[in-house]
Amino acid sequence: MNFSIDKNSILGPISKLVGITEKRSLMPILSNILIEFDIAHTTIYSTDLELSAIGYIEYSAPENKKIVVHGRKFLEILREMDSGEILFQIDENLLTIKQKQTEIVLSLQDPDEFPEVKKISGEEEFVVDGTILLEMIDKVSFAVSLDETRYILTGMHIKGKDGSVTVVGTDGFRMALYEKMLDGVGNFKGITIPKRSLAEMERVVDEGEKVVISIDEKYVQISTKNIVVLSRVIEGSFPDFENVIPVGNENVVRLEKEVFLKGLKKVSSIMGRSEPVRITLSQGKMEIEAESDIGRAKEVLAIDYEGEGISMNFNVRFVMDVISHINGGTVIMSAPSTYGAVLFREEGDSYKNIVMPIRV
Amino acid sequence: MAKIIVCVDMDAFFASVEQQDNPALRGKPIAVTGAGERTVITTSSYEARSYGVKTGMTVYEAKRLCPELILVVGNNRKYARICTRLQEICLRFTPDTETYSIDEIFLDITGSHHLFNGPENLAQAIKDAVRSELGITCTAGIGPNILIAKLASDLAKPDGLLWIDEAAVPSALDALPVKKLWGIGSHTEEKLRAMGITTCGELGRASVSLLTKKFGINGERLKAMGNGRFERPLEIVSPEPKSIGHSITLPRDIWKRDEITPCLLRLSERVGRRARRHGYKGKKITLTVRYVDFKTFTRQTTLPASTNDTSEIYRAAVAILDGIRLRKSVRLLGISLSSLGKDERQMALFQDADREKRAAMAKAMDAVNDKFGEHSITFASTIGEEKDHKVISPAWRPSGVRKSDV
């Protein structure tokens, strides 16, 4: 079969899909992508068995044909080609790519060996704007655990209740939680999406485009016009996150976000890897202090505060992560009277962060 | 300003302590050993050394060389106590000391020797204090760095005092065999010999490029050592430990799994307990196995998360053991915990009931053992184990993580 395709119409979808191929050579077939040419349109598949993607290209081939080609190598070749038409020639198990003076021949794998990639028709399905989906992922994924000992925490939890979707990320020491009202959301039991799948989803979703999210017990799938990403969910039960959101932390302080962040940054400059930062609240002021082998630092912020005098130690990275993800100019911090979970939030009730202090 | 370093090295430390304590042993060839029937010589007296008895020999070998050799089972607590007192004596002369091993201390007296009428008088004062307070002798070497100070003490042994000042370094080193230098072992000596270098003088004059070719980045350092230069400053504050480990030479060779595992549990408990006491957790577990023929190997595994929990260390060690096909009977077993970090004080959001229960149990057991002595409360499966036959490790220190129970 001989045909030609414009470089740009094929390069885009392929570059989005190739990230999902297997990099280690445990199953060599998974380093490949399956391209299904059809007289109606062309479909590309990639998978590493945990995570799969299907891409659609508006291209009508002269005949139906399936090929399996090495993903990253194919992408590399396409990138190096000049813009414009590229000629493809498929024989028995060889793919010849031609353009001007260039001719590259790639050997092909047997399409029957490629694992089946099947879309799910989810039990739960709703539509979300790409911008909102990206925001939801961004607001909680920084808190997702990297430690595989508690595997369930290495993903973002997503749960539907009364027309709103809640996403949660936690590493067991801090937790970010974002809630959004969305049309067409029913009540659904939470599932946990692996961190890696989130990264791929972020890569394929564009701001403003319509995204359909489908969920069943074992899989979660996001579909845009041109691409579908399908991920296995992490099995196991996610900890009861609702139960650890502190209620009645009555020592509330409103801080100017930039000033708070700057203060933390200044103080943390003298810190090593593991020292905590100490935050002390007293009438009208907040003190941020740190001490390490090389010295000590202190920043005093004037604040509007009438609560009790309290002092807490934190992992400074946790606090800075939270502040930098808060929208608007204000951070609202609520601390309990007894040493324990501190709540950080922005104006409104949709975004909450809980940070556990470090024992003294 | 050029530094002035003193190396105080105890003479035949363990043996001298025993001879001091028991007049019947004085002037006789004696050797200190570990307990148990199968142990090696840890130290021998100068009388025994003249027969060729050396540290590390088996008792059998030593007896063959010196049939009248008197064997004394070492008393680690006694040595540890004396090491601590030696450190106290040295601290009277300068705050900057490094207890390099149980019987060697380095002192940086650059800023304090003038208070004691110069380096030699200061060193003599230490020697006098050691003799009068501890009843044993030591040798003091003085030099511009620890390499030369150590060399001076080696050359002046026993009961000597030698100062090799900066000006005397070239003549002291010129004809000295390279192996006499601290840190040059037989392996390096062999390689140097192949290059035609046998003395420090030759090493100091060798071309850097030639040495670098053979020894990589160490080439430059070796040349500097040949010239008596050594950059390492004293480690006055003891550095963070890299690992916490224990090993045991078994009372008899064993090979059955159900004989080995109780030993591993006991070792795991000792490692876990020491890590907990100093607030460390580690991610890597290393198992050391020595066969009857002294062939020794190690295998290690990395845990998903840091731990100081006895049962987690034990399980990891057993998992390693189960992955090995033992080829011979085992003579020594060791477990160590590395990739250490300070115990997390970060509070957790969610309660992990299981882990908390184990931590609470460890805490309670540690408290009982602190109060009533080691192994007052322990795991039932280790009860059959005989008392440990420990030999005090050269890495032992009077304080900090390296202060293991002896």
Side-chain angles (χ1 to χ4, degrees):
Chain A
M1 180 171 86
N2 294 311
F3 56 95
S4 70
I5 309 182
D6 179 68
K7 171 180 168 177
N8 291 329
S9 65
I10 185 164
L11 180 63
I14 296 225
S15 63
K16 284 191 168 177
L17 262 76
V18 162
I20 286 169
T21 53
E22 169 75 51
K23 278 146 207 93
R24 295 159 296 169
S25 55
L26 295 174
M27 265 179 81
I29 191 80
L30 300 181
S31 306
N32 293 270
I33 55 173
L34 168 68
I35 307 177
E36 201 175 286
F37 296 100
D38 188 290
I39 44 173
H41 57 267
T42 298
T43 315
I44 310 166
Y45 299 88
S46 65
T47 182
D48 66 7
L49 301 180
E50 287 295 313
L51 185 63
S52 311
I54 307 168
Y56 303 101
I57 302 174
E58 289 298 328
Y59 177 75
S60 311
E63 56 186 283
N64 293 352
K65 181 89 185 167
K66 284 185 192 174
I67 61 165
V68 170
V69 62
H70 194 278
R72 269 179 306 126
K73 285 293 161 202
F74 188 53
L75 175 64
E76 211 174 291
I77 291 164
L78 290 179
R79 277 212 186 109
E80 293 306 324
M81 291 291 174
D82 297 333
S83 316
E85 294 288 305
I86 302 172
L87 278 168
F88 293 92
Q89 184 184 331
I90 302 168
D91 303 308
E92 208 41 22
N93 50 13
L94 291 178
L95 170 67
T96 311
I97 305 164
K98 285 189 206 165
Q99 191 185 51
K100 296 174 194 162
Q101 273 76 36
T102 313
E103 179 177 311
I104 294 171
V105 183
L106 285 177
S107 61
L108 299 172
Q109 308 296 317
D110 179 3
D112 292 336
E113 302 240 321
F114 198 82
E116 187 186 24
V117 176
K118 223 166 121 189
K119 287 200 279 179
I120 59 165
S121 52
E123 294 153 19
E124 180 63 33
E125 204 164 280
F126 55 92
V127 182
V128 56
D129 183 284
T131 314
I132 292 173
L133 179 62
L134 291 174
E135 188 188 17
M136 293 177 100
I137 296 176
D138 178 59
K139 287 218 151 195
V140 305
S141 63
F142 71 89
V144 168
S145 175
L146 299 171
D147 178 1
E148 304 205 336
T149 24
R150 289 184 78 187
Y151 202 67
I152 190 72
L153 299 185
T154 61
M156 178 183 86
H157 193 68
I158 175 167
K159 180 178 176 175
K161 199 177 164 191
D162 306 329
S164 78
V165 169
T166 303
V167 285
V168 185
T170 179
D171 59 5
F173 308 114
R174 39 85 180 261
M175 175 169 85
L177 191 130
Y178 189 52
E179 193 178 352
K180 195 87 189 170
M181 298 294 286
L182 289 175
D183 290 337
V185 173
N187 290 328
F188 65 90
K189 211 177 116 234
I191 51 114
T192 308
I193 310 173
K195 189 158 188 158
R196 181 164 165 250
S197 306
L198 289 178
E200 290 301 329
M201 288 174 180
E202 277 183 294
R203 240 160 47 84
V204 302
V205 169
D206 290 323
E207 292 196 359
E209 72 177 336
K210 204 180 89 175
V211 184
V212 180
I213 299 183
S214 316
I215 292 170
D216 74 10
E217 266 188 23
K218 291 221 161 89
Y219 291 93
V220 55
Q221 172 183 297
I222 63 158
S223 323
T224 67
K225 192 166 141 265
N226 293 321
I227 205 157
V228 175
V229 175
L230 182 69
S231 165
R232 221 184 251 277
V233 302
I234 301 180
E235 284 178 40
S237 66
F238 199 78
D240 186 359
F241 62 91
E242 278 152 338
N243 212 12
V244 297
I245 303 170
V247 282
N249 277 4
E250 62 275 340
N251 297 306
V252 183
V253 53
R254 300 170 73 87
L255 294 144
E256 219 176 299
K257 174 177 152 175
E258 290 308 323
V259 175
F260 191 16
L261 191 58
K262 197 110 196 264
L264 287 167
K265 274 191 184 155
K266 281 190 229 164
V267 167
S268 66
S269 61
I270 64 126
M271 289 164 41
R273 219 155 37 91
S274 57
E275 293 90 0
V277 65
R278 184 176 189 79
I279 295 180
T280 306
L281 294 175
S282 56
Q283 298 278 325
K285 70 174 179 186
M286 172 190 261
E287 290 175 342
I288 307 170
E289 294 163 276
E291 209 178 315
S292 73
D293 296 344
I294 62 158
R296 59 191 146 79
K298 181 173 176 176
E299 172 95 356
V300 183
L301 307 180
I303 51 165
D304 190 11
Y305 179 71
E306 313 242 296
E308 348 166 42
I310 42 174
S311 193
M312 289 159 295
N313 285 1
F314 290 102
N315 177 333
V316 72
R317 193 169 52 84
F318 289 177
V319 184
M320 294 209 283
D321 277 352
V322 168
I323 300 172
S324 53
H325 283 87
I326 275 176
N327 285 348
T330 309
V331 178
I332 304 164
M333 174 177 166
S334 335
S337 311
T338 51
Y339 209 78
V342 176
L343 179 68
F344 292 88
R345 58 186 184 88
E346 54 188 39
E347 299 283 2
D349 259 342
S350 57
Y351 186 45
K352 296 190 183 93
N353 267 283
I354 292 110
V355 178
M356 292 302 287
I358 293 170
R359 274 187 210 94
V360 276
Chain B
M1 189 169 67
K3 291 225 171 270
I4 301 181
I5 306 292
V6 181
C7 170
V8 175
D9 194 342
M10 306 306 285
D11 300 327
F13 183 41
F14 298 170
S16 303
V17 171
E18 296 304 335
Q19 286 177 319
Q20 161 64 17
D21 279 7
N22 181 355
L25 300 175
R26 293 183 199 164
K28 295 189 178 143
I30 75 157
V32 177
T33 67
E37 289 160 36
R38 309 141 25 88
T39 174
V40 293
I41 308 292
T42 55
T43 317
S44 51
S45 67
Y46 280 95
E47 296 82 1
R49 288 181 196 191
S50 63
Y51 288 87
V53 175
K54 285 188 183 132
T55 299
M57 279 183 174
T58 60
V59 170
Y60 174 77
E61 280 175 284
K63 277 272 190 192
R64 209 180 46 193
L65 290 169
C66 173
E68 60 269 45
L69 186 70
I70 303 168
L71 297 173
V72 181
V73 174
N75 179 340
N76 298 329
R77 262 180 221 173
K78 202 154 70 184
Y79 311 144
R81 208 161 49 229
I82 291 174
C83 176
T84 311
R85 288 179 58 196
L86 173 66
Q87 196 191 35
E88 282 163 11
I89 291 172
C90 291
L91 282 169
R92 294 175 204 159
F93 299 89
T94 170
D96 301 336
T97 70
E98 173 184 346
T99 305
Y100 183 74
S101 75
I102 191 155
D103 62 351
E104 289 161 291
I105 293 193
F106 290 113
L107 296 84
D108 184 339
I109 57 163
T110 314
S112 66
H113 67 81
H114 66 282
L115 300 171
F116 302 92
N117 298 321
E120 277 172 306
N121 284 322
L122 184 150
Q124 190 56 51
I126 294 176
K127 281 172 58 71
D128 293 346
V130 169
R131 186 191 287 274
S132 67
E133 294 174 38
L134 306 180
I136 51 178
T137 63
C138 64
T139 299
I142 310 169
N145 55 48
I146 57 179
L147 179 76
I148 300 300
K150 172 77 179 134
L151 176 69
S153 84
D154 286 346
L155 295 176
K157 268 187 167 304
D159 196 14
L161 197 169
L162 178 62
W163 184 7
I164 304 179
D165 66 11
E166 201 127 35
V169 169
S171 59
L173 289 182
D174 194 51
L176 191 78
V178 286
K179 184 130 187 257
K180 295 274 181 194
L181 277 187
W182 188 42
I184 296 188
S186 12
H187 199 68
T188 308
E189 183 197 22
E190 203 50 52
K191 276 194 186 174
L192 287 169
R193 197 203 310 276
M195 297 167 74
I197 297 171
T198 54
T199 67
C200 295
E202 287 162 355
L203 178 61
R205 287 186 293 271
S207 94
V208 178
S209 60
L210 208 65
L211 288 167
T212 311
K213 217 181 212 167
K214 197 95 182 177
F215 297 99
I217 49 163
N218 285 327
E220 229 164 298
R221 198 175 52 91
L222 281 171
K223 182 181 164 78
M225 283 169 70
N227 287 318
R229 289 196 308 274
F230 198 65
E231 293 299 325
R232 179 182 174 283
L234 255 57
E235 284 175 346
I236 291 152
V237 180
S238 61
E240 288 285 309
K242 292 194 174 68
S243 67
I244 294 175
H246 283 280
S247 64
I248 176 179
T249 297
L250 301 157
R252 60 190 176 82
D253 302 326
I254 56 176
W255 54 274
K256 283 188 194 141
R257 187 179 184 278
D258 58 4
E259 286 179 312
I260 294 173
T261 54
C263 296
L264 294 182
L265 181 57
R266 201 176 170 90
L267 288 168
S268 303
E269 167 66 0
R270 290 179 58 190
V271 170
R273 180 156 158 67
R274 191 142 64 96
R276 290 192 295 272
R277 182 179 292 157
H278 298 281
Y280 285 98
K281 283 188 173 185
K283 228 172 167 174
K284 264 192 194 131
I285 311 276
T286 306
L287 177 70
T288 303
V289 176
R290 177 171 299 157
Y291 288 135
V292 274
D293 58 3
F294 280 78
K295 283 221 176 72
T296 310
F297 65 93
T298 61
R299 292 278 181 280
Q300 65 177 25
T301 186
T302 303
L303 299 173
S306 296
T307 189
N308 56 21
D309 179 78
T310 298
S311 63
E312 279 177 30
I313 298 168
Y314 172 65
R315 263 180 284 155
V318 171
I320 299 173
L321 177 73
D322 288 342
I324 304 170
R325 220 186 92 222
L326 291 177
R327 297 179 184 281
K328 297 185 186 81
S329 298
V330 176
R331 173 185 172 88
L332 171 142
L333 288 166
I335 292 179
S336 84
L337 186 65
S338 53
S339 285
L340 298 177
K342 274 283 181 190
D343 201 350
E344 279 284 332
R345 302 165 76 88
Q346 171 68 52
M347 292 168 72
L349 258 175
F350 312 105
Q351 309 307 319
D352 182 344
D354 220 38
R355 203 167 239 266
E356 272 173 31
K357 210 168 147 184
R358 278 207 311 271
M361 186 176 82
K363 206 174 159 191
M365 283 174 65
D366 287 346
V368 170
N369 288 329
D370 284 343
K371 190 160 182 184
F372 299 103
E374 290 309 307
H375 306 300
S376 298
I377 181 164
T378 187
F379 298 91
S381 55
T382 68
I383 281 176
E385 292 298 299
E386 292 170 53
K387 269 248 164 231
D388 291 344
H389 310 292
K390 292 177 277 189
V391 167
I392 194 164
S393 156
W396 189 90
R397 293 289 180 281
S399 62
V401 185
R402 287 182 177 160
K403 185 185 180 199
S404 59
D405 300 308
V406 291

